[in-house]
Each structure stands twice: as C-alpha cells, then as structure tokens.
Amino acid sequence: MKTVKISIDSYTKIQNFTRIVNDYHNDFDLVQGRYVINAKSTMGILSLDISKPIDLNIRDAGSQLKEILTTLEPFIVDEESEA
C-alpha cells in the first residue's frame, strides 16, 4: 500500500480525481480522521472536509504504482509513506 496526501478542494477537482481513479481497477481509499471513504465515490468525497489535505491509500498497485502516481500528480501535495 502507498499513502500520499492529496488536495481536492473544489468540485471540479473532485470530478477530475474520481474520473482518473475510476480508470484503474485498484482500490483507493481516502482517510480523514476516523473516516475511510471509497475514493471512487463523488458523494463519499463530499462527506469529507475537502478544505484540508486528505490521505489517499493506493492498494495493490504493483507495477502500475508509478503510472498512478504520475497521473495523480496534480492532486498530490506530499508523499507520505509506503507500507
């Protein structure tokens, strides 16, 4: 699993972000406090405080991880950890 901090602080950014992650078969979770949301769900994302950076967990990316990170680069504010 790879975790990065992302910023999706507008509805347009949320639309673009969900369009991108839905192109992949991987699981993407957004974690904010005790909430874990499916990153492919626009409605789920809207339940979070989007004014602050959110942790994105990318699961089972394997050889696609570099491609995914490159595609999501406009949203990434800080790479955090790799587990």
Side-chain angles (χ1 to χ4, degrees):
M1 179 177 74
K2 175 76 173 174
T3 301
V4 294
K5 279 206 182 295
I6 62 164
S7 175
I8 45 176
D9 56 359
S10 71
Y11 188 70
T12 303
K13 286 183 182 179
I14 291 170
Q15 287 179 310
N16 292 335
F17 174 80
T18 55
R19 182 182 42 77
I20 290 168
V21 296
N22 275 297
D23 286 341
Y24 294 97
H25 294 288
N26 308 76
D27 290 329
F28 297 88
D29 297 323
L30 291 172
V31 180
Q32 191 174 57
R34 62 186 178 118
Y35 298 102
V36 179
I37 303 296
N38 179 352
K40 295 181 178 184
S41 168
T42 301
M43 291 302 292
I45 294 171
L46 290 172
S47 71
L48 299 174
D49 180 1
I50 62 170
S51 69
K52 299 176 184 172
I54 303 168
D55 289 335
L56 171 67
N57 294 336
I58 305 168
R59 301 184 180 278
D60 303 322
S63 62
Q64 281 190 309
L65 181 60
K66 188 173 182 172
E67 176 188 340
I68 292 170
L69 291 174
T70 301
T71 306
L72 294 176
E73 192 172 339
F75 305 99
I76 297 174
V77 291
D78 182 30
E79 287 198 30
E80 201 167 274
S81 65
E82 192 169 335

